[in-house]
Amino acid sequence: MSGIPGLPARRAALQMLDAVMRRGETLEQAEGAATRKLHTSEDKALARAIVSEALRWLTDLDALIDSETKKRLPDDAKPRSVLRLMLAQALRLGTPPHAVIATGLPLLSGGPRRLAHGVFSTVVKQEPTLPAMPTLPERAAERWGGRADEIAAGLADPPELDLRLKDAAQTDKQAVAMGGVSLAPGHLRLPRGTRIEELPGFTEGDWWVQDLAAQIPASLLGKGEGKHALDLCAAPGGKTMQLAAAGWKVTALDLSKRRLGLLKENLKRTGLKASPVRADALTWEPKHQFDAILLDAPCTATGTCRRHPDVLHRIGGRQIAEMIELQSALIERASGWLKPGGVLVYAVCSLEAEEGEDQAEKVALERSPITSAELPGDLAPTDQGWLRIHPGILNEEGGMDGFFIARWSKP
């Protein structure tokens, strides 16, 4: 059976789905081991696409499965997992049913195989359509309250490719050359599926991959003019490169050796300068104070759910509580490293108020309100001068990740 074309990719997708749903791993953690034996980048991309669509539409796929079973399959039952992947292919990726069956049923044996065959065939014969937007898992919908439907609207499709240009003055020229659209100076959006290494300017270091929302925090610090900035939790380096390109002398601190290695590679490719430091921000002591500090803090990353749909199912109260404690400690330390008149920007790619608004309320610095003129598109700050965005915002233009961002100055 291992000789069936396409079967290894489906087996890898099943392994990833199992790692996320049963062991609580991230897709990134699961992907390396699951795709190790796949020989082509196309097979790896297919496995990732299958499991991503299954996770994005999981609640709706489960409803279809449950409609055709006399007794509800346990959430962690292998036949349910295989059916989730089979239906995701048929209903979201346009895979012909016969191909889905040929590559899905070999993942099971005996009675479970017959069950999966019967359920899949019955569902597909009814020619079902999924809703216009995914149904969120119950606990996520409860946490996000009145924003839930708007957030879900931004999850219907995987995101397009966002780039950050090293030279914002080249935005219009690069948009024409690369066939993209720009939603802000220095930003470029291309269709998903674009091969990054083949794009013009990659080798020359003219740009790097960075979601539009993730480009906002560094932009709120303005021009550096040779002043000193600290990028906390800096790797893989998108914000560090933004700051360096804006004229800041950047100290880029991160604890992860592997991720800091990626930051160094990105700096080398772009020709931008920064001072990488591997250290734990909770124990590290700087040699001097800074004019600006960007704290893109570790968080639950629920705002990245359109590109990382595993967070819809992995994150709950326990994970949020763990992040809150760490974020509070980092904010307190960063506040003490600012020069008088220095500016602190705090950002999290999280949709949880506990990691955003609730943290901002506790900061003992002077608020420096964000203004609409500093933001892309029709984005607007809150009454407190903070920014709260989610994946359903700018949806007609392709959307963006969810973030909370706030800014203060030190008296």
Side-chain angles (χ1 to χ4, degrees):
M1 286 187 183
S2 60
I4 298 174
L7 179 58
R10 274 70 175 188
R11 184 173 287 119
L14 178 60
Q15 188 175 336
M16 282 189 274
L17 182 61
D18 183 68
V20 170
M21 298 302 295
R22 290 207 305 119
R23 298 196 297 275
E25 294 182 16
T26 67
L27 264 181
E28 275 61 39
Q29 290 170 333
E31 187 173 10
T35 62
R36 189 181 302 120
K37 294 182 180 180
L38 298 182
H39 301 301
T40 67
S41 58
E42 288 78 11
D43 275 351
K44 292 180 180 180
L46 175 59
R48 177 66 182 251
I50 293 171
V51 72
S52 292
E53 288 305 295
L55 289 167
R56 194 183 309 278
W57 295 88
L58 196 85
T59 303
D60 301 295
L61 298 177
D62 277 350
L64 290 173
I65 294 168
D66 293 342
S67 71
E68 298 302 332
T69 54
K70 293 180 180 179
K71 183 179 180 181
R72 190 181 189 281
L73 294 168
D75 287 338
D76 60 352
K78 192 173 183 181
R80 180 181 288 279
S81 296
V82 171
L83 278 165
R84 287 164 168 168
L85 299 175
M86 292 174 71
L87 288 170
Q89 293 173 76
L91 301 180
R92 289 294 300 164
L93 300 180
T95 309
H98 67 85
V100 174
I101 291 171
T103 55
L105 295 186
L107 300 172
L108 298 167
S109 61
R113 179 185 293 193
R114 290 190 293 272
L115 172 65
H117 193 179
V119 171
F120 177 78
S121 298
T122 303
V123 169
V124 170
K125 284 178 183 177
Q126 295 172 358
E127 299 183 351
T129 56
L130 293 169
M133 57 189 184
T135 301
L136 294 174
E138 186 175 344
R139 64 177 181 175
E142 288 177 353
R143 291 200 314 270
W144 300 338
R147 299 177 294 151
D149 285 347
E150 289 184 86
I151 292 170
L155 306 184
D157 295 299
E160 295 175 294
L161 178 68
D162 282 346
L163 306 180
R164 178 71 191 188
L165 304 179
K166 182 168 65 174
D167 183 0
Q170 298 295 312
T171 302
D172 292 341
K173 179 181 178 181
Q174 290 280 32
V176 172
M178 300 173 75
V181 297
S182 176
L183 301 180
H187 166 264
L188 198 61
R189 176 163 288 176
L190 303 176
R192 60 178 172 271
T194 304
R195 285 184 170 271
I196 295 169
E197 294 82 359
E198 296 177 3
L199 288 172
F202 173 79
T203 304
E204 295 81 2
D206 292 341
W207 48 264
W208 54 90
V209 176
Q210 190 177 21
D211 187 82
L212 173 61
Q215 297 180 23
I216 297 174
S219 71
L220 295 176
L221 289 175
K223 296 294 184 182
E225 300 174 340
K227 293 181 288 188
H228 290 274
L230 171 64
D231 185 5
L232 276 174
C233 313
K239 294 175 293 299
T240 293
M241 292 183 287
Q242 268 188 273
L243 292 171
W248 292 91
K249 293 181 179 178
V250 189
T251 299
L253 186 141
D254 203 276
L255 179 59
S256 168
K257 181 179 180 180
R258 181 188 66 82
R259 287 170 56 82
L260 206 58
L262 293 174
L263 184 148
K264 293 175 182 178
E265 290 175 9
N266 282 322
L267 288 172
K268 183 178 180 181
R269 182 175 66 84
T270 58
L272 293 167
K273 304 297 182 183
S275 300
V277 176
R278 185 186 175 203
D280 184 346
L282 295 177
T283 57
W284 178 72
E285 292 294 343
K287 296 178 180 178
H288 59 81
Q289 291 185 311
F290 296 91
D291 299 288
I293 297 177
L294 174 54
L295 172 54
D296 188 356
C299 67
T300 57
T302 50
T304 67
C305 49
R306 63 191 190 128
R307 70 181 69 249
H308 300 295
D310 52 296
V311 300
L312 294 169
H313 310 284
R314 291 190 300 101
I315 301 302
R318 178 177 60 83
Q319 292 87 351
I320 295 170
E322 290 173 355
M323 289 295 105
I324 291 171
E325 186 175 349
L326 175 58
Q327 292 155 3
S328 295
L330 290 171
I331 291 171
E332 183 176 355
R333 290 184 67 78
S335 298
W337 297 335
L338 280 175
K339 291 180 180 178
V343 177
L344 169 66
V345 168
Y346 170 76
V348 283
C349 55
S350 168
L351 298 173
E352 316 306 324
E354 297 95 326
E355 299 181 86
E357 290 85 348
D358 292 356
Q359 293 285 27
E361 289 284 5
K362 299 181 290 186
V363 176
L365 295 172
E366 185 176 306
R367 288 185 188 179
S368 178
I370 298 167
T371 66
S372 297
E374 299 175 277
L375 302 174
D378 296 325
L379 297 184
T382 66
D383 292 341
Q384 297 92 337
W386 303 329
L387 180 64
R388 164 58 76 186
I389 51 179
H390 60 70
I393 288 177
L394 300 184
N395 205 24
E396 292 185 2
E397 292 86 356
M400 61 201 311
D401 283 350
F403 260 80
F404 174 83
I405 309 169
R407 183 174 60 188
W408 300 268
S409 62
K410 188 171 184 175

